[in-house]
Amino acid sequence: MSLEARLNALSAALLDPKLLRGRGLGNEIGFYIFDYPPERDPDVARALPQVVRTVESEGVQVAVVNLYRTVLGLLEARGYLDKALALEEARGPAALHSALKPLLTPEKVADAVAQEAQGAGLVLLTQVGAAYPLLRSHSILNNLHERLDQVPVVMFFPGTYDGQQLRLFGLFKDDNYYRAFRLLPEAKQGASA
């Protein structure tokens, strides 16, 4: 299935009553991955507002949580954003990552995401790639389980997810992650995406 076809089917998939219940038949959590080729990130970003409008027109409150903006907000709230930018410029991204690690723990980020998602019937996580390497996808999902276990969560993931392994940008292997379901099938290898 092409990315265009998957994007066209996205609203209907998000409105599926099984997804909106937030739990599967085996009581598994309602976490989903919508993976796509990273170079198609602008296409996904352009399509998402219409998808959200369609879903909300059916009475579902959607929280779109931009993980990159969430990280910036956490840094700004603590007065570290300007310092972080200066540190990165002076000492590079490795020094920045090391300095921010205690401030941006997966637990703190998951708390911020849960706060942004309060009252929503569906949570869409975006800008996962922009938040890398400060955030790891599997860590955020693992920490959201206890915070959003009754609300369906869809992570828009620029890379691949095979049901066990997340590969950001198709390059960086994250730890194995088994709890999420693929929202829609990805394009087959060699097929036009």
Side-chain angles (χ1 to χ4, degrees):
M1 180 183 291
S2 72
L3 180 61
E4 287 75 16
R6 293 173 69 221
L7 289 171
N8 288 336
L10 187 54
S11 296
L14 294 175
L15 287 166
D16 184 320
K18 290 182 218 168
L19 181 141
L20 291 173
R21 276 197 298 271
R23 289 266 177 199
L25 291 175
N27 209 28
E28 63 270 357
I29 59 168
F31 280 26
Y32 301 85
I33 305 287
F34 184 89
D35 58 343
Y36 56 89
E39 66 274 10
R40 302 294 304 272
D41 198 50
D43 299 317
V44 173
R46 274 192 297 276
L48 203 52
Q50 180 58 48
V51 168
V52 170
R53 281 191 295 277
T54 300
V55 172
E56 287 187 331
S57 74
E58 296 295 322
V60 178
Q61 185 174 348
V62 179
V64 179
V65 179
N66 179 318
L67 287 175
Y68 182 68
R69 286 194 187 131
T70 300
V71 166
L72 293 180
L74 286 169
L75 294 175
E76 196 167 45
R78 303 264 324 258
Y80 289 118
L81 183 57
D82 290 335
K83 294 173 189 171
L85 296 173
L87 175 65
E88 182 179 33
E89 186 175 327
R91 297 189 39 215
L96 176 67
H97 183 259
S98 178
L100 294 182
K101 203 170 191 173
L103 299 172
L104 298 173
T105 65
E107 296 84 5
K108 289 177 184 174
V109 175
D111 285 341
V113 169
Q115 183 68 32
E116 289 182 58
Q118 230 174 19
L122 175 64
V123 178
L124 307 180
L125 298 176
T126 66
Q127 293 300 305
V128 174
Y132 178 83
L134 298 174
L135 298 179
R136 301 298 296 260
S137 304
H138 78 281
S139 296
I140 296 305
L141 291 172
N142 280 333
N143 282 279
L144 283 175
H145 289 170
E146 61 194 51
R147 292 161 177 86
L148 294 175
D149 69 335
Q150 299 298 314
V151 179
V153 174
V154 179
M155 178 178 276
F156 287 82
F157 190 76
T160 58
Y161 178 60
D162 63 8
Q164 295 181 2
Q165 188 178 93
L166 292 159
R167 265 195 197 280
L168 188 63
F169 309 128
L171 302 171
F172 303 111
K173 181 187 177 298
D174 221 337
D175 283 352
N176 287 347
Y177 186 79
Y178 304 98
R179 293 181 177 178
F181 301 96
R182 303 185 81 188
L183 185 57
L184 292 165
E186 85 288 354
K188 296 204 185 295
Q189 293 292 1
S192 68

